[in-house]
Amino acid sequence: MAMLKNLFALMILLAVTVALLPRATFATVGIPDCAKGITSDCGFGFFKIIVLGETSAPIDECCRELFKAGKNCHNQFVESILSSHKPIKGTISDLYRRSNETWNNCAASSSVSPPEPSH
């Protein structure tokens, strides 16, 4: 029970921090350096969709930031979540599926095309 209270307090602190720094970049411990151009709003939005399983779609601006960071960076973000042992909704396969769906949803709905993969 105490652990649940601590987790709740941490989530409140995270929400307050995100609210107070809406345009700060989403570059915190465990986040790949390549994601420094993703704002905290977009980064937290991607986290909620991919890790927590929220069903909302990312906004166009966030998709542009994601494409600018690139697919490899997107994959590094997912790997950093897994290596941090943060609790996720569902299985690891669910996390990868939501990650791919997020990238594909951005590609399908964004006015900016994703970069071509480098060979």
Side-chain angles (χ1 to χ4, degrees), residues 18-30:
V18 168
L20 292 176
L21 301 171
R23 300 304 300 166
T25 57
F26 189 64
T28 59
V29 175

Side-chain angles (χ1 to χ4, degrees), residues 2-97:
M3 185 176 175
L4 186 58
K5 287 182 181 178
N6 288 340
L7 181 59
F8 181 71
L10 184 59
M11 291 302 291
I12 295 294
L13 178 62
L14 179 62
V16 168
T17 301
V18 168
L20 292 176
L21 301 171
R23 300 304 300 166
T25 57
F26 189 64
T28 59
V29 175
I31 303 300
D33 287 341
C34 59
K36 287 184 179 178
I38 297 178
T39 62
S40 59
D41 288 344
C42 292
F44 191 60
F46 289 128
F47 180 86
K48 290 189 300 186
I49 293 167
I50 296 168
V51 178
L52 304 179
E54 286 196 5
T55 57
S56 60
I59 62 171
D60 203 43
E61 177 183 336
C62 293
C63 289
R64 282 192 292 275
E65 291 178 13
L66 181 65
F67 291 156
K68 187 173 180 182
K71 179 71 168 159
N72 286 336
C73 187
H74 179 65
N75 293 339
Q76 287 176 35
F77 169 72
V78 172
E79 294 301 323
S80 72
I81 294 299
L82 290 173
S83 66
S84 71
H85 304 291
K86 289 183 167 84
I88 62 172
K89 182 176 180 182
T91 66
I92 292 173
S93 294
D94 292 331
L95 182 84
Y96 283 119
R97 179 184 47 76

